[in-house]
Amino acid sequence: MKSKLNWEAFSNRNRIEVIEEVKQLILDHDGYIIHFKMFSDLALNLNIEIEADKIPTLHQALSSKMSISELENHLFDSKKEWLIFIHLSFGQSHGNLRHEIPEVPG
């Protein structure tokens, strides 16, 4: 069974830009997004699979871009894969995200 971490993160910046940055940081640290869930424009949940030795640098990179919960004291020196659950909240949200779909003639 894989070990698990839960992180809470918050950003007051533009939601689209933050999502793109987080996605790129995860990829840059050899992580894989295995599931995500959007909650309107309020928040995003990410499930990430990553090798243990990449976790500290990923956490440091994320903390330079946003407020994130502290990294628990674990031994991250192996190649064992971990699951990280990140709940990312957006400060500029309104809770009413809508995707307008134009009417198609016919």
Side-chain angles (χ1 to χ4, degrees), residues 2-72:
K2 294 182 184 178
S3 298
K4 301 173 187 171
L5 291 172
N6 293 299
W7 293 346
E8 294 281 332
F10 174 81
S11 179
N12 213 9
R13 297 181 23 240
N14 178 282
R15 178 179 58 87
I16 303 298
E17 292 173 6
V18 171
I19 291 171
E20 285 301 314
E21 282 182 352
V22 168
K23 180 179 81 170
Q24 193 58 52
L25 287 172
I26 292 167
L27 292 174
D28 290 348
H29 290 85
D30 300 326
Y32 300 95
I33 299 171
I34 57 174
H35 183 73
F36 72 94
K37 175 76 175 163
M38 289 288 299
F39 298 99
S40 186
D41 65 339
L42 296 172
L44 168 70
N45 278 353
L46 293 169
N47 297 354
I48 300 167
E49 203 170 63
I50 189 169
E51 289 182 359
D53 61 341
K54 308 284 184 175
I55 292 173
T57 55
L58 173 62
H59 186 273
Q60 183 178 18
L62 290 170
S63 66
S64 72
K65 302 288 184 183
M66 65 194 68
S67 173
I68 190 166
S69 54
E70 289 189 30
L71 184 60
E72 297 96 10

